[in-house]
Amino acid sequence: MMQIQPSPITSIDPKIAAQLKGGPEQQLVVGPLVQRLVKAGWKIEQLMFGKKEWYVPKTPSASTKREKGHSYDGFPVDIAVFESAATLGDYKRLVFVIECKRPDETSGLEQLDIYLGREPHLRLGIWANSADLSAPAVFLFRDEKGKTHPQKRTVGTLPSPHSKIDKDYQGLTGKDLIVPSTDSLTKVLWDLLGRIVARDSRVNRREEQLDQLCNIILLKLDSDKQARLKPNAEVVFKSAATDQQTGDALRAAFTTFVNQYPDIFFEDRRERLEFTDATLAECVEDLAPLNLLGVGPEVVSVAFQVLRSAALKQEEGQYFTPQPIIAPAVRAMNIGPTDLILDPACGTGGFLVEAMVAMRENVLASHGDVAEVPRWASKALHGIDKDAIAVKLTKAVMQIMGDGSANCARGDSVLTHKWATEFSHLPVLFMNGRFSIIFTNPPFGAPLKVKRAEAIKAGLSIAIAQPEGDIELGLAMLNRCHQLLREGGRLCIVLPETYFFSSSYKFVREWCRSRFVPEIVINVPMEAFQGFCRAKTNVYVFRKLRDFTSIKDAQKRAEAEQKAFVAAEAANVVMLNPRTCGIYKSGARRFKVTNHGERTDEVDNEMLEHVLAWRAREQCLPEPWKSLCPRLSRRMFSFQHTMISVTTKHLIC
């Protein structure tokens, strides 16, 4: 005779009680178990129990009758759980069943084996005769090959709608997540695009597909952030029992995310996850085990590079600055708490995020309060980019890492004459002469140009300095940076070496001479951008000269300008010539190698080492880079010459 275990649940929801049949088994086991399921997240409308039981066909012929819609002879199941209320009673959408009638584990397991043999779509059967969380239960899983796997568990491990029905599933927690390499992450994202997104039946337009995948990445980043706070708790971004439940859970989580970070999204569109449940489930399957946030700011660069390469931007020559290049460039500027910072071609926000990281380092080094860094970032960091997905990714990673996102805007930072009609939100935040530091790696090269007439309308004086033809975008951006900087402000920009070397660009040096004084030139090894272009580039740091147009007297203005020019030409320029930048041309990490040819775990980034060594020398701090110092020198860099003048002034060491 079956021995019924008492349940700790003293009261049952009236809706559940109304569906129960008479008898102690229903009142003490079935009802409380249903209540456990509802508390775990299942809806009563997707459960069959009590007066409306589910019947498993007793024979193959009974199965055939059921398929034809005829009445059939079947085994009554105590509790049957379906994918949703809409699929209640559909045997193809049966998730799992619970058997309570059998008196012990052995007979319960035998009955479950029959159920799984008669229900071709059923993946799990559970035996239990108590609703106590610690009560024993038997789970019988069926794998994709049809083989069954019994496991002894407890009632407390009953599946929730957010749990994956799998014998090996133990619940994904924050401490289980693995930080992927940039190479493996790139492969995963390409696979998602090719294998999943391209065949989604609901979202067909390429741009919409990419935007939707971007939303998935944002949700995953936010889930990883929560996992950092509670590493032992189950993560939000995980597989559920069915594709539909996975989709429902992700959509609910995304709605919460949008409400939590409204500044990330554009007001003129309704943000939601549009992919089918199957697509969302496959996205979760690929991304859930990874810790994207652990990759750092580079994760958005990797993601955006894949998204944009898959769209239309690859032929436009658009690519993004690798983090090993960004880090030394930012450290070279020695950011302070009063600086107002801008990237007018921010892409995925690499410079802005690294500026926030550098400020946190500075605060820690001075024993300050790091809690102030997010507040500083929200006021100090600004970015513009034309690409909606880039801006969304930038805003998201800034929010997740600590704010600053409200000052990132979509727009064209060069063609300012269009702001009034197309980007009316830009003039308030991005006024000329406002910023003390500008970081940027603008798109450059002969194919990327601004129409001469458009450049003149936008007030770009370099268009007048250039003898003829359209203006290269890199030069147009150089001009805009000058306009946006305050007097004495500094510009850190990645540009081709030919702008300051080739005789074809003599007009650039002449234009710069009255506007900038060079302070630092850092060689960028060819590997940095070799995967995208063959241009030889440098990182240049310029300081904006005073504007003397306010001096009305022409003679006095000319004398003041000449005095400033002479002082600028006589100034020392720090020239750093690193040979490595921490990556190979493929984008893979480059590590140092011992004299015996063995690879170490230390990244080989002389760009960063040289900058840190120079900064340590400038600040008179102890530094461990003595061996590097002979290659660090102050040299003359003159805008006057047709070619760069590199005469040694004096060595730092």
Side-chain angles (χ1 to χ4, degrees), residues 377-490:
S378 67
K379 296 178 180 179
L381 302 179
H382 300 72
I384 311 174
D385 202 274
K386 290 195 296 184
D387 195 288
I389 292 180
V391 173
K392 183 189 287 188
L393 282 168
T394 299
K395 285 186 170 188
V397 78
M398 294 293 287
Q399 284 276 24
I400 291 167
M401 292 190 68
D403 216 336
S405 67
N407 301 323
C408 296
R410 183 185 180 189
D412 189 326
S413 59
V414 172
L415 301 181
T416 53
H417 60 293
K418 296 184 177 181
W419 283 12
T421 55
E422 297 181 21
F423 307 107
S424 58
H425 57 287
L426 294 181
V428 177
L429 280 178
F430 305 99
M431 296 180 294
N432 287 347
R434 184 175 182 222
F435 299 94
S436 61
I437 290 179
I438 293 179
F439 293 102
T440 195
N441 177 17
F444 50 76
L448 301 171
K449 293 186 176 182
V450 177
K451 294 290 185 183
R452 185 181 184 84
E454 292 287 292
I456 292 173
K457 287 180 183 178
L460 301 180
S461 57
I462 202 165
I464 307 300
Q466 181 172 311
E468 60 182 3
D470 296 334
I471 312 302
E472 289 185 24
L473 188 54
L475 296 177
M477 191 64 74
L478 178 66
N479 195 154
R480 278 298 291 140
C481 289
H482 178 265
Q483 293 174 340
L484 290 160
L485 276 175
R486 64 181 64 158
E487 290 183 1
R490 293 172 295 151

Side-chain angles (χ1 to χ4, degrees), residues 433-575:
R434 184 175 182 222
F435 299 94
S436 61
I437 290 179
I438 293 179
F439 293 102
T440 195
N441 177 17
F444 50 76
L448 301 171
K449 293 186 176 182
V450 177
K451 294 290 185 183
R452 185 181 184 84
E454 292 287 292
I456 292 173
K457 287 180 183 178
L460 301 180
S461 57
I462 202 165
I464 307 300
Q466 181 172 311
E468 60 182 3
D470 296 334
I471 312 302
E472 289 185 24
L473 188 54
L475 296 177
M477 191 64 74
L478 178 66
N479 195 154
R480 278 298 291 140
C481 289
H482 178 265
Q483 293 174 340
L484 290 160
L485 276 175
R486 64 181 64 158
E487 290 183 1
R490 293 172 295 151
L491 166 64
C492 180
I493 187 169
V494 181
L495 287 174
E497 197 172 77
T498 51
Y499 285 175
F500 305 103
F501 180 84
S502 170
S503 58
S504 301
Y505 292 95
K506 183 180 179 181
F507 73 93
V508 176
R509 295 185 290 280
E510 291 175 347
W511 181 88
C512 286
R513 184 170 176 249
S514 62
R515 293 170 174 83
F516 288 122
V517 55
E519 293 190 337
I520 309 170
V521 179
I522 308 173
N523 171 60
V524 176
M526 287 294 292
E527 291 86 355
F529 301 113
Q530 203 165 5
F532 309 102
C533 73
R534 295 289 300 170
K536 175 65 188 75
T537 60
N538 293 320
V539 173
Y540 299 92
V541 176
F542 301 125
R543 185 179 296 276
K544 181 176 178 178
L545 291 171
R546 179 186 170 188
D547 184 1
F548 295 99
T549 55
S550 60
I551 302 177
K552 302 303 181 182
D553 186 280
Q555 183 176 349
K556 290 182 178 180
R557 183 170 63 250
E559 290 174 353
E561 288 176 346
Q562 183 60 32
K563 185 177 180 180
F565 296 160
V566 170
E569 296 296 345
N572 290 327
V573 180
V574 175
M575 308 284 289

Side-chain angles (χ1 to χ4, degrees), residues 219-240:
L219 189 59
K220 171 59 176 164
L221 285 168
D222 188 60
S223 174
D224 291 352
K225 179 185 179 182
Q226 296 179 47
R228 277 189 178 180
L229 300 175
K230 296 182 178 180
N232 293 318
E234 262 198 283
V235 298
V236 173
F237 196 91
K238 62 184 178 183
S239 296

Side-chain angles (χ1 to χ4, degrees), residues 21-36:
K21 296 186 294 186
E25 175 197 325
Q26 290 277 309
Q27 300 298 321
L28 298 178
V29 182
V30 174
L33 280 175
V34 170
Q35 187 132 324
R36 291 279 187 214

